[in-house]
Amino acid sequence: LYQVKEVITAVDSKVNEHEKKRRLKDIYSRTDSKSIMRMKSGQMFAREDLLRGRRLLYDGPLQLKNSQGKLKDVTAMLLSDIVVFLQEKDQKFVFASLDQRSTVLSLQKLIVREVANEEKGLFLITAGMEKPEMVEVHTATKEERNTWMQIIQEAMQSM
């Protein structure tokens, strides 16, 4: 019985891994080939970089809050070393625009915090040598926010 459970767990894990690879390829194929984003480090991030040695860990719909307080619907992807926010434009994905800030965030030196007065909100703060930047993200539910926070922190620890 123990070995059967082990096999089932291993099969589930492989199926999950395969589904995430397929999902990443689906998103990649729907991403505009001309879409490009400058990361905070100054490095350019293009569509091809989505697949370059990266694994999809988690994805889903989120909302980004801009400096005017408006929420923008985006698709967020947590890859093995970055968080990427995409928005839909003409049935294609493009890197989301947010007040002249990068929407491709490295997990290195990323700080994840709850928004104090908003149970569905979280801050993603990119710490570093230069001035830190903060992105406010909102989820549909408190549970979803907690899931995102947990998975991002696990991904940061496994880097």
Side-chain angles (χ1 to χ4, degrees), residues 84-95:
V84 179
F85 298 103
L86 301 169
Q87 65 188 58
E88 224 168 316
K89 184 178 180 185
D90 302 326
Q91 277 131 27
K92 286 270 191 194
F93 283 122
V94 294
F95 295 109

Side-chain angles (χ1 to χ4, degrees), residues 74-139:
V74 295
T75 296
M77 295 192 325
L78 173 61
L79 302 175
S80 37
D81 64 332
I82 57 171
V83 179
V84 179
F85 298 103
L86 301 169
Q87 65 188 58
E88 224 168 316
K89 184 178 180 185
D90 302 326
Q91 277 131 27
K92 286 270 191 194
F93 283 122
V94 294
F95 295 109
S97 58
L98 183 70
D99 306 323
Q100 306 300 312
R101 288 180 284 162
S102 180
T103 54
V104 178
L105 309 176
S106 172
L107 292 183
Q108 288 184 331
K109 297 182 183 159
L110 187 71
I111 301 168
V112 183
R113 293 287 181 264
E114 296 176 8
V115 178
N117 58 352
E118 177 61 60
E119 68 174 20
K120 299 176 192 172
L122 63 124
F123 289 123
L124 300 176
I125 305 159
T126 53
M129 301 298 176
E130 300 157 41
K131 61 178 185 157
E133 286 184 351
M134 187 166 67
V135 176
E136 188 173 338
V137 179
H138 289 256
T139 60

Side-chain angles (χ1 to χ4, degrees), residues 12-151:
D12 282 350
S13 174
K14 284 290 181 191
V15 167
N16 189 16
E17 197 177 302
H18 179 74
E19 285 173 350
K20 285 182 178 172
K21 279 182 186 175
R22 194 187 76 232
R23 174 84 176 127
L24 181 56
K25 285 181 181 167
D26 287 348
I27 291 171
Y28 171 82
S29 67
R30 286 190 55 203
T31 302
D32 189 338
S33 60
K34 295 174 196 74
S35 190
I36 195 161
M37 175 61 64
R38 182 180 297 275
M39 294 178 70
K40 189 172 188 279
S41 64
Q43 176 184 345
M44 297 307 277
F45 190 90
R47 170 188 179 222
E48 292 71 37
D49 294 316
L50 290 172
L51 299 180
R52 202 161 281 148
R54 294 187 165 94
R55 292 176 299 111
L56 176 65
L57 303 176
Y58 196 68
D59 71 298
L62 291 177
Q63 293 181 310
L64 292 179
K65 191 174 197 177
N66 68 15
S67 57
Q68 289 84 39
K70 290 188 176 159
L71 294 175
K72 178 187 286 194
D73 291 330
V74 295
T75 296
M77 295 192 325
L78 173 61
L79 302 175
S80 37
D81 64 332
I82 57 171
V83 179
V84 179
F85 298 103
L86 301 169
Q87 65 188 58
E88 224 168 316
K89 184 178 180 185
D90 302 326
Q91 277 131 27
K92 286 270 191 194
F93 283 122
V94 294
F95 295 109
S97 58
L98 183 70
D99 306 323
Q100 306 300 312
R101 288 180 284 162
S102 180
T103 54
V104 178
L105 309 176
S106 172
L107 292 183
Q108 288 184 331
K109 297 182 183 159
L110 187 71
I111 301 168
V112 183
R113 293 287 181 264
E114 296 176 8
V115 178
N117 58 352
E118 177 61 60
E119 68 174 20
K120 299 176 192 172
L122 63 124
F123 289 123
L124 300 176
I125 305 159
T126 53
M129 301 298 176
E130 300 157 41
K131 61 178 185 157
E133 286 184 351
M134 187 166 67
V135 176
E136 188 173 338
V137 179
H138 289 256
T139 60
T141 65
K142 183 180 179 180
E143 292 74 25
E144 195 177 330
R145 184 215 43 202
N146 293 342
T147 300
W148 272 102
M149 287 181 69
Q150 178 188 350
I151 291 174

